Amino acid sequence: MNDYISKEFGINRDLLGLAEEIECELTSDFSYVESRTFYHQAKVLKAFQNSNVSDIHFAWNTGYGYDDSGRDAVERVFADVFGGEKALVRPNIVNGTHAISLALLGLLKRGDKLIYCTGAPYDTLQSVTGYYSSEKPSDESYTGTLKDLGIKYQEVELLPDGRIDLDALKDALDDSVKMVAIQRSKGYKLRNSISSKQISEVSDLVHGFGRHITIMVDNCYCEFVDEEEPLDAGADIICGSLIKNPGGGLALSGGYLCGKADLIDLISYRLTCPGIGGECGLTFGQNRAVLEGLFQAPRVTAGALKGAVLCSKVFDRLGFEVFPHASSDIKDRSDIIQAVKLNTPEALMEFCRGIQAAAPIDSHVTPVPAPMPGYDDDIIMAAGAFVQGSSIELSADGPLREPYVAYFQGGLTYEHSKIGVLMAAQYLINAGLVRL
Ligand SMILES: *Cc1c(COP(=O)(O)O)cnc(C)c1O
């Protein structure tokens, strides 16, 4: 078998051998992932059964999308799986950024303060805040950012060990604070993800403040990784993308929000308009794919998580710094992202080219760094996916800035994720940037 892989993909035998050796070391980590996946799969199955999902829910209508029972079923199942009272799951929420900004713009009013307690948010969210632009708010520069709308904003930095600084957060709470936001996954940073245990600690602190403050969690890449989801840990609202973990690789597009019913209603008025909210909105035939994707999501996420762990070990052996560290406990991972610090632009590009060469779609193209909407630096992205930009599928990307970190994620199957890891390593070897 290794002869075939070595011949057809040009992967060095020693590298294949190294991967097998590492897999032996990972037996207990992998079985831990499997047992957690069994639990998540059972939870998802139960949610389908609780909602009496039936094949009538695969049908769809036209126009306004009134009385789309499939859409209602999708949203009931999501709410059940993630422990919320209500959910908004729509193909016309265009991405994760849109879902998160709906929560911000739907719930915050002039004079309210938002605190991000996990430091600076993901690049595209920085644009939503408006506080990263040096322009003074004016009629000419108005785009409806938080700053333009008179919503106050503060960040509480993470502690040096990557945990949430509860003391600093406590000091930052005052009567103007309306929302505390937690970004679980690292984005383009070198830090650990935020566990559901830390979310409970924030929840105890913030909900103990006296007046109700909404806790919003950016749950991108974290669904089905920890045992508990953020709403079970005390958060009020979670947001994410359907072309990451919960879409299971099958959803064609979309985002979700889930949590307290009154909050979801307010957000639905922002998504469509006051008075209409979630009662309208065509699903364009997506209900079946979204449901099947959610059903497969625990298994797909498990494969991606195992691939991330393999990636950390392989690149650690090759002498690179990796986050989470190769020695870190599997129980401390709350997302599927593996960061590899490659130190030079050449190495970052070779890594991404290796991932691209391992793709089922567009394996013949060469990724090059380019500007992207919402991002300040040029970004290189390797993605040969069935769904454009889907990062639950095998992918890697990184901004062209020091220290040249590749963010590796996905793989619809563990086996594909493994081929991706090996191709990325092989490209670095072939370019003479590392020796086995
Ligand atoms: C992916 C991601 C987002 C949203 O990104 P989109 O590309 O807009 O879906 C937000 N926050 C984090 C931490 C992410 O990883």
Side-chain angles (χ1 to χ4, degrees), residues 95-97 100 122 124-125 183 185 187 218 220-221 241 244 375:
N95 54 23
T97 307
I100 297 157
Y122 190 70
T124 55
L125 268 308
Q183 177 184 308
S185 186
D218 170 354
C220 281
Y221 291 126
S241 164
K244 295 180 180 174
Y375 297 86

Side-chain angles (χ1 to χ4, degrees), residues 12-283:
N12 181 315
R13 302 262 176 114
D14 293 338
L15 190 55
L16 282 163
L18 174 67
E20 283 171 359
E21 187 188 315
I22 291 173
E23 282 172 326
C24 289
E25 290 168 19
L26 288 173
T27 316
S28 75
D29 283 10
F30 282 7
S31 69
Y32 180 77
V33 173
E34 294 304 327
S35 62
R36 207 151 42 174
T37 304
F38 183 50
Y39 164 68
H40 288 309
Q41 186 68 71
K43 203 163 74 165
V44 170
L45 172 61
K46 190 69 194 151
F48 274 72
Q49 296 178 349
N50 289 344
S51 282
N52 293 333
V53 177
S54 166
D55 67 357
I56 52 160
H57 296 130
F58 302 156
W60 54 299
N61 51 19
T62 53
Y64 293 119
Y66 285 132
D67 304 318
D68 180 339
S69 66
R71 186 184 64 213
D72 293 346
V74 165
E75 292 182 343
R76 270 200 317 276
V77 173
F78 262 77
D80 196 348
V81 166
F82 292 109
E85 292 167 1
K86 209 166 173 179
L88 205 51
V89 186
R90 304 286 163 124
N92 63 334
I93 297 179
V94 301
N95 54 23
T97 307
H98 187 195
I100 297 157
S101 68
L102 282 170
L104 301 177
L105 298 166
L107 299 176
L108 295 168
K109 297 190 294 290
R110 171 171 293 277
D112 289 344
K113 190 197 268 184
L114 164 69
I115 296 179
Y116 248 92
C117 71
T118 43
Y122 190 70
D123 297 47
T124 55
L125 268 308
Q126 295 181 5
S127 314
V128 176
T129 69
Y131 284 92
Y132 281 79
S133 148
S134 50
E135 271 183 78
K136 277 208 159 22
S138 69
D139 286 350
E140 288 74 49
S141 69
Y142 183 91
T143 55
T145 60
L146 298 183
K147 191 177 183 184
D148 286 341
L149 296 168
I151 295 160
K152 292 179 279 184
Y153 178 71
Q154 187 182 342
E155 283 167 10
V156 171
E157 292 305 322
L158 292 169
L159 292 166
D161 69 359
R163 296 175 56 80
I164 294 174
D165 188 341
L166 295 171
D167 292 331
L169 176 58
K170 189 169 179 203
D171 290 344
L173 294 180
D174 64 37
D175 283 333
S176 66
V177 178
K178 182 76 182 303
M179 182 186 286
V180 169
I182 299 172
Q183 177 184 308
R184 297 188 73 191
S185 186
K186 59 183 76 56
Y188 290 133
K189 285 194 191 160
L190 287 175
R191 66 153 167 97
N192 286 334
S193 46
I194 304 294
S195 63
S196 65
K197 182 159 173 291
Q198 283 187 72
I199 296 173
S200 339
E201 289 165 2
V202 170
S203 164
D204 289 346
L205 172 70
V206 171
H207 289 155
F209 183 66
R211 193 179 39 77
H212 190 79
I213 298 174
T214 299
I215 299 177
M216 186 279 283
V217 176
D218 170 354
N219 207 26
C220 281
Y221 291 126
C222 296
E223 298 88 354
F224 305 118
V225 179
D226 250 345
E227 187 172 318
E228 239 185 356
E229 296 292 342
L231 298 174
D232 305 320
D236 298 292
I237 193 123
I238 58 171
C239 320
S241 164
L242 294 194
I243 62 169
K244 295 180 180 174
N245 308 14
L250 291 176
L252 293 187
S253 117
Y256 77 92
L257 296 112
C258 183
K260 298 257 158 64
D262 55 337
L263 304 180
I264 292 291
D265 286 342
L266 279 172
I267 291 165
S268 74
Y269 298 141
R270 171 80 202 190
L271 172 66
T272 62
C273 43
I276 289 176
E279 301 297 322
C280 269
L282 194 64
T283 47

Side-chain angles (χ1 to χ4, degrees), residues 188 315 320 338-356 367-369 377-382 396-408 424 427-428 431 433:
Y188 290 133
F315 280 87
F320 293 98
Q338 183 60 46
V340 181
K341 185 163 157 284
L342 292 159
N343 309 315
T344 64
E346 294 75 30
L348 174 57
M349 288 193 277
E350 287 304 326
F351 185 102
C352 289
R353 287 170 185 166
I355 297 294
Q356 190 73 36
V368 291
D377 297 281
D378 279 4
I379 310 267
I380 183 161
M381 291 197 169
D397 48 54
L400 263 283
R401 65 181 179 226
E402 292 200 18
Y404 300 101
V405 178
Y407 295 87
F408 169 90
Y427 267 56
L428 289 171
L433 296 167

